Amino acid sequence: EAEVAQSPRYKITEKSQAVAFWCDPISGHATLYWYRQILGQGPELLVQFQDESVVDDSQLPKDRFSAERLKGVDSTLKIQPAELGDSAMYLCASSPGWGAADTQYFGPGTRLTVL
Amino acid sequence: AQKITQTQPGMFVQEKEAVTLDCTYDTSDQSYGLFWYKQPSSGEMIFLIYQGSYDEQNATEGRYSLNFQKARKSANLVISASQLGDSAMYFCAMRGDSNQAGTALIFGKGTTLSVSS
């Protein structure tokens, strides 16, 4: 069964350092999402890609976060510099399209701890 | 704006019993989708069940069913014959329909389900 891949699974870093997360969506899925989930809450969207284009990054803290999906397949999310408040689970999801019925499938997530 | 409300922070159930997890939603979209996800302690979000706003029948997937009451804007998840492996956090989510991209899932705060033997 096809799955969304993410790496690393866990990342511990010190504040002011740079971190990067990688996501490989299910093959053929044009839409890719990065969500951030703070402990005890539901995930919230950071950025959405349609193929290689960003279609929603309204909640992405652009002074420190960046995301790219250069060839419309895998994607990288970067934080520079990391802050204590960035400690969270970062989830990647993909779906065939963006319709209401298009199910999003999630990867295992990257759990980030900033010290 | 879309909103999902899950009012039960925690639920407790015995093995083999049925349990209902509540979810209410608010949206001005005519067409939308409602989803339930399970998140074990390991962290991955597992898709359980989907209900479309125009679906006349309640969705079912194995032991999961969705009690969809459109007029009341509720989409409760029913788990029949609970198993120990069902212990996890459960999230209700919705997604509007749009001719444009930019329709991410809106999640509730989740309900922690604990199943005991």
Side-chain angles (χ1 to χ4, degrees):
Chain A
E1 184 175 305
E3 295 180 341
V4 177
Q6 286 188 251
S7 66
R9 293 292 306 277
Y10 304 91
K11 180 70 177 178
I12 300 174
T13 190
E14 294 187 345
K15 63 179 181 179
S16 79
Q17 296 297 304
V19 293
F21 313 133
W22 177 79
C23 172
D24 192 13
I26 292 172
S27 178
H29 280 194
T31 313
L32 184 148
Y33 307 81
W34 284 100
Y35 290 87
R36 178 169 61 183
Q37 184 180 21
I38 295 170
L39 187 65
Q41 299 183 20
E44 294 184 338
L45 180 74
L46 287 173
V47 61
Q48 177 184 346
F49 289 92
Q50 181 65 26
D51 298 310
E52 66 277 7
S53 300
V54 173
V55 294
D56 187 352
D57 63 355
S58 56
Q59 301 303 311
L60 188 72
K62 298 182 189 63
D63 57 335
R64 297 185 301 108
F65 286 64
S66 64
E68 61 183 15
R69 192 184 184 199
L70 293 176
K71 297 183 179 179
V73 181
D74 58 339
S75 175
T76 302
L77 178 70
K78 297 179 181 176
I79 309 175
Q80 183 173 20
E83 295 181 352
L84 296 177
D86 296 331
S87 294
M89 175 75 92
Y90 290 82
L91 293 161
C92 179
S94 71
S95 66
W98 65 76
D102 282 295
T103 298
Q104 293 183 26
Y105 296 94
F106 285 78
T110 296
R111 199 179 298 270
L112 174 67
T113 302
V114 182
L115 302 176
Chain B
Q2 297 178 336
K3 185 178 180 181
I4 293 284
T5 302
Q6 294 181 256
T7 57
Q8 304 157 315
M11 290 287 286
F12 297 87
V13 68
Q14 294 249 316
E15 257 187 310
K16 302 179 186 177
E17 291 184 351
V19 62
T20 298
L21 306 183
D22 294 341
C23 172
T24 58
Y25 61 92
D26 192 18
T27 182
S28 57
D29 289 346
Q30 294 302 308
S31 176
Y32 50 88
L34 295 158
F35 301 81
W36 277 91
Y37 286 85
K38 171 184 178 182
Q39 188 175 41
S41 57
S42 53
E44 74 270 30
M45 297 285 280
I46 302 167
F47 166 70
L48 295 178
I49 196 166
Y50 160 80
Q51 178 85 41
S53 58
Y54 291 117
D55 293 342
E56 294 186 353
Q57 303 244 344
N58 286 340
T60 60
E61 289 285 350
R63 295 186 299 112
Y64 304 108
S65 60
L66 201 153
N67 184 0
F68 180 47
Q69 298 187 44
K70 193 170 182 177
R72 300 177 71 173
K73 294 191 173 180
S74 73
N76 298 339
L77 177 70
V78 180
I79 305 175
S80 63
S82 296
Q83 301 172 356
L84 293 177
D86 294 335
S87 294
M89 181 79 98
Y90 288 79
F91 289 96
C92 180
M94 76 177 298
R95 186 180 193 182
D97 210 355
S98 172
N99 291 325
Q100 303 175 8
T103 51
L105 287 169
I106 305 298
F107 286 86
K109 292 188 175 182
T111 296
T112 301
L113 177 64
S114 300
V115 182
S116 59
S117 57

